[in-house]
Structures are given as C-alpha cells and as structure tokens.
Amino acid sequence: MTRATSPTTSAHDLGGASAVTASVVVGTTALSFADVIAVARHNARVTLDPASLTEVAATRTIIDALAADTEPHYGISTGFGALATTFITPDRRAQLQASLVRSHAAGSGPEVEREVVRALMLLRLGTLMTGRTGVRPATAETYAAVLNAQITPVVHEYGSLGCSGDLAPLAHCALVVMGEGQARDATGTLVSGGEALAAAGITPVVLAEKEGLALINGTDGMLGMLVLALDDLARLLVTADIAAAMSVEALLGTDAVFAADLQQLRPQLGQADSAANLRRLLHGSSLLASHAGPEDVSVQDAYSLRCAPQVHGAARDTAAHAALVAGRELDSAIDNPVVTVDGRVMSNGNFHGAPLGYVLDFLAIASADVASMSERRTDRHLDASRSKGLPPFLAHEVGVDSGLMIAQYTAAGIVSELKRLAAPASVDSIPSSAMQEDHVSMGWHAARKLRRSLDGLGRVLAIEIMTAARSLDLRAPLTPAAATGAVRDLVRTVAAGPGHDRFLSPEIEGVVHLVASGAVRAAAGADLA
C-alpha cells in the first residue's frame, strides 16, 4: 500500500516557481515538490492533518504493546546496528533512545544551508505522519512546531554515508527537538537547542521506545537537496536557452537549425522544448535577418550554437527522470524497522540511498556539460577569428584594454571544477558499523556536490549572458529580438556596456544574482518551457 499521492510534478514544472504556498498540510498524502520548496525556501507554515495524527496514535499502540513484551524487538527493546541482539530492559530504554541520537549527532565541518535543513526536517515529518514509524503524536507535533518557529538545527557538511539514510544530519535535528545541540533561531542567531525551544515555548521531547530510530532513519537530506536542485535546474536550463539565443544572435548564427520539423526527426522531449524556446527567443531578430538568405556565407554554425537544444534537452530529460525518482521517494515511508499496514514491525532496507544517489550524480554530469557548452560559446565571442567582426576580447581599445578576456578564464576555471564534481559519488562505498552496514550509497555526498555544481553552472551562464550582451551592443545599429533585447537591457542595470576596462567582478556578481533570482528568465518572457 502506498501513500495517497498528490498530482505528479515533473522537472519541467519546477523552475522559478509560481505562487508560494502559505501553509503546507502534512499527513498521509505525499508532500509535493511545491510543498518542499514552500517550507524550505519560503518559510511556509506546517499544519498536521488530524486524521493522520489519529493513525499515528493507533500505530503507537502497537509499539507500546511490543515494548511490554519479554521477547526482544529490534529498535524497541534492543540495541542498534551491530548491537541489534542486545536486549535492553524497560528502565534503560529512554536512555537508549537519547543515547542513540546523541551518539549519531557526530557531524563535522561547515554548517549546511538553512533551506536544506528545513527540507530534511519537513520530509522526516512527512514520514512520521504516515503512521508507519510508531512515534507518538506529540513527537510529530514538536517537529512541526520547530519548523513553524523557524528554528534551524545546526547540521554539518560531513557525517552521512547515505545508509541507513542520513543518520548524522537527522540526528542533529532530533537532538534539538530533545532540547540539546545547537540551532539558529529565526533571526539566524546561534543558540543552544534548549534556548531555542524555550524562547519559542516548545517543550523538549523525551524520546520513548522506537522514536530515536524513527527520527534518524531516512533519506530526507539527500531527497530534500534533490528537490531543491530540480527547482534550481529547471530555472537554469531555461536560462541556458536564453544565453544560447543571445550568443546565436550576437555571433551572427542561424535559427534555421531549430525548426520544429528538424526537431521532430529526433523526437527527444527535452530537445523539442529547448528548440521551441530558442525559436521564441529569436523571433523577430533583425540581427538574424541581416544575414539570412543566399548571401549568408556561414555554411554551418559551431556545435556549441547549433547543438544547444540537443545538449540542453538531454539535461532536461535527465532532470525529468530524476523528478520521477524524487516523486516516488516523496511517496515513501522510510524507517527501520517500519510498522506495516497490518501491524507487523519489520526490518527492511528501504533507507538505502541508491535511487537518489544515482540521479543526483546524473544531474551533476548534465550540469557540467551544459556549463561546458556555455563556456565554449563565451570563448567564441572573444576570439576575433571566430566572432565574425567583433573586436578581440570585446575590448574597447585593443591592446590597451583586455575586455572580457579574464571573465572567460573564470568561466573556464568553474567548468574545470564542475567536471571534477561530475565524478560520481554513488559508485563509492565504505563499510561501517562493524561490517553490518557493508554497502552504503554516498547519496548525501552526491547531493552536496550537486549543489556546488549548480552554483557553478549559474555563474558560467551569467558570464555568457554578460558577454553576449556586450556583443549585442557592439552589433548596433542592428537590434536583437524583443526577448533577448529585454535580457540585454536587464544586464545593463548591473553591468555597463562596452567601454574601457573596469572592475569586472561586481558586474559578474550582479548578473549572477539576476540569474539566481529568476530575473533573467522573467525578462525573457513567460512562455518558455
């Protein structure tokens, strides 16, 4: 039996998202992509479905009955992992659960971003509310209260092997729910977990049998980062089409290769979407019209221009597959042991992060390749032998000025880093827990490097857009299409046009912000897929 699902969301539906949900209901119905984004990024409040709380309470009675049994039951009256055969007497079980959380909160390194922590807490709450974990309703209610108070447990970069799920990150969150550990309050101030709860009027949880395990056994960290990444990537892939369109115009390329009938000869879905975007973006361009027809001496454009839909489209299709996997995971109740619908308490391996680890790695490959193609287009603008009449490096006074030469170096350096980040984490495995956990997913690490990769992709695209905007200015009096011209005008609000050399870094960062905020996509028009 699966959870009741909300409408399916594909990667194409995610980017740049629409209206922000003010409140998210958590219950037996699976959380949606939009729910995760709303809570993680926009501080939407969480409410618990009363009917689901009733199911949570009913399941708890099963755990209470097993706790009273003289026979050992894993996670209820035994130790954990390699100590699963050790029976724990009733008077030591509260200590057992607290000790589990304390010992597993062993992360190290920089703090993980606030949005990631909020996403993983929401997703863990979602599993608690399925009624399959055996926690008490009060524990789920406390989790919701912590989210609504905008308390963010301090979670560290290192600690998860992605099996049994994201143990250390989730343990740091559970520790704060217990009134221990460290957290950031709503203002971002670092306080103790106890201080954060007290200030918000939240009573710390004293964990009962099974609850420690239920709070830390899950793929919530890697899943949260996957959903966030899909939201980012959908926006970035549209931005990549915008950047490519600006480059095609400014480099006097052709849009003929993007024709719908040519795309239909190879019916890849993402490719068709990308090509349609390029046709819309370039519609009405006087720059393209200026050299169209028999007088055009260009036989074929370079691959970085001509094959943009094929590469951007393949990335879209990869994201669509990742969204399918993420949607299934949102529809999951991951814990070990789990309380089945018919009341059995069963050990299982559903916490293994392989399904997520694989697609997180796939996306890092796609991100690196899209960035690589973008950097090649940037380089063409700067090379006088290939730019069809533009000055070397788009310099104002050749020889005195260097123009955008070093901006391309920056893009190249980022692309080199993205190629290293494309090396898969999910093929690695380091045994742990005295060989009980002898194969792990490294899904958390795949997610962490994907976040860095997408940041790099946004920066590479921003440099191409900034470069193409200067090239478009240098093609005057010929004018770009309405959509690309609007993006060029937006760039001019943070980066000046052609002229003598100046301090470039702030201008690059300004365009990076326009890309990250969705302003570039918005300027180009709302009808892009």
Side-chain angles (χ1 to χ4, degrees):
M1 178 180 176
T2 59
R3 300 168 65 178
T5 56
S6 52
T8 302
T9 303
S10 74
H12 299 203
D13 300 323
L14 288 172
S18 40
V20 176
T21 306
S23 179
V24 169
V25 177
V26 185
T28 54
T29 299
L31 292 164
S32 68
F33 289 85
D35 291 337
V36 177
I37 298 301
V39 173
R41 290 187 161 161
H42 304 295
N43 298 320
R45 289 187 61 79
V46 167
T47 58
L48 302 183
D49 175 47
S52 299
L53 277 174
T54 300
E55 177 66 17
V56 170
T59 306
R60 181 63 201 180
T61 63
I62 299 171
I63 300 300
D64 289 337
L66 292 175
D69 193 354
T70 55
E71 292 296 316
H73 298 277
Y74 176 68
I76 299 170
S77 53
T78 71
F80 311 109
L83 304 176
T85 58
T86 304
F87 182 78
I88 308 297
T89 58
D91 60 312
R92 306 300 302 280
R93 291 177 191 166
Q95 181 183 347
L96 169 70
Q97 299 297 321
S99 294
L100 173 70
V101 172
R102 290 168 184 150
S103 65
H104 284 55
S108 182
E111 290 183 39
V112 170
E113 302 87 353
R114 181 179 186 272
E115 66 176 15
V116 172
V117 179
R118 287 185 62 80
L120 74 87
M121 289 193 71
L122 173 68
L123 294 169
R124 182 71 332 215
L125 177 61
T127 287
L128 299 181
M129 288 297 292
T130 63
R132 306 275 64 84
T133 71
V135 300
R136 297 166 297 164
T139 301
E141 289 168 339
T142 303
Y143 245 72
V146 169
L147 278 167
N148 287 338
Q150 297 187 36
I151 296 169
T152 307
V154 172
V155 173
H156 298 279
E157 182 87 26
Y158 304 109
S160 175
L161 300 181
C163 190
S164 302
D166 294 316
L167 290 172
L170 285 165
H172 279 276
C173 295
L175 199 61
V176 170
V177 173
M178 292 164 52
E180 302 178 23
Q182 290 185 309
R184 299 276 177 185
D185 65 16
T187 70
T189 303
L190 182 65
V191 295
S192 71
E195 289 174 310
L197 296 190
I202 300 170
T203 302
V205 169
V206 178
L207 298 177
E209 291 92 343
K210 175 68 173 64
E211 290 192 311
L213 273 178
L215 295 184
I216 67 174
N217 260 290
T219 57
D220 309 290
M222 58 187 103
L223 175 59
M225 285 187 277
L226 175 56
V227 173
L228 294 169
L230 286 168
D231 186 50
D232 291 335
L233 188 57
R235 170 178 40 80
L236 289 171
L237 290 177
V238 174
T239 305
D241 290 339
I242 294 167
M246 295 175 73
S247 289
V248 167
E249 269 190 303
L251 293 170
L252 302 183
T254 178
D255 62 348
V257 294
F258 308 137
D261 61 338
L262 293 177
Q263 306 307 311
Q264 289 166 4
L265 296 175
R266 189 192 200 188
Q268 298 288 357
L269 300 181
Q271 177 180 324
D273 285 345
S274 179
N277 282 349
L278 286 162
R279 292 195 301 272
R280 293 186 189 104
L281 289 161
L282 293 170
H283 179 71
S285 169
S286 68
L287 267 165
L288 293 188
S290 71
H291 60 92
E295 67 276 11
D296 189 356
V297 297
S298 300
V299 179
Q300 294 185 125
D301 288 330
Y303 286 5
S304 60
L305 302 174
R306 191 184 352 151
C307 301
Q310 286 73 19
V311 173
H312 298 178
R316 278 176 165 79
D317 291 340
T318 302
H321 171 63
L324 180 65
V325 172
R328 291 169 180 158
E329 200 76 358
L330 287 169
D331 192 27
S332 303
I334 294 178
D335 192 14
N336 184 49
V338 69
V339 184
T340 64
V341 175
D342 61 0
R344 293 172 296 129
V345 179
M346 299 294 296
S347 290
N348 65 89
N350 286 338
F351 48 72
H352 198 289
L356 301 176
Y358 291 170
V359 296
L360 288 159
D361 281 336
F362 295 165
L363 293 178
I365 292 169
S367 174
D369 200 39
V370 172
S372 178
M373 179 174 258
S374 172
E375 183 276 331
R376 287 294 78 203
R377 291 191 296 263
T378 296
D379 185 66
R380 297 189 76 81
H381 289 272
L382 308 181
D383 185 348
S385 67
R386 294 180 292 150
S387 67
K388 299 181 181 177
L390 293 171
F393 304 108
L394 307 184
H396 180 69
E397 186 177 350
V398 177
V400 174
D401 293 317
S402 294
L404 299 184
M405 178 193 296
I406 308 304
Q408 183 267 330
Y409 285 29
T410 300
I414 294 171
V415 168
S416 184
E417 173 73 7
L418 300 195
K419 291 175 183 177
R420 291 189 289 272
L421 292 170
S426 57
V427 297
D428 190 22
S429 179
I430 297 179
S432 57
S433 193
M435 291 297 288
Q436 175 73 4
E437 299 170 6
D438 59 351
H439 184 276
V440 297
S441 76
M442 294 297 178
W444 172 271
H445 292 271
R448 295 306 297 162
K449 69 184 182 67
L450 176 59
R451 286 180 67 81
R452 183 171 177 83
S453 180
L454 294 180
D455 175 73
L457 171 59
R459 294 175 186 279
V460 172
L461 292 173
I463 289 171
E464 181 186 0
I465 288 168
M466 184 182 76
T467 303
R470 183 180 288 203
S471 292
L472 288 173
D473 283 340
L474 291 170
R475 294 295 187 191
L478 294 173
T479 57
T484 52
V487 174
R488 188 270 316 275
D489 294 344
L490 176 68
V491 170
R492 287 291 156 261
T493 66
V494 297
H500 283 295
D501 285 353
R502 53 189 179 266
F503 185 19
L504 270 185
S505 182
E507 296 191 359
I508 293 172
E509 292 305 305
V511 184
V512 166
H513 175 72
L514 295 178
V515 168
S517 68
V520 165
R521 178 178 178 172
D527 59 343
L528 301 177

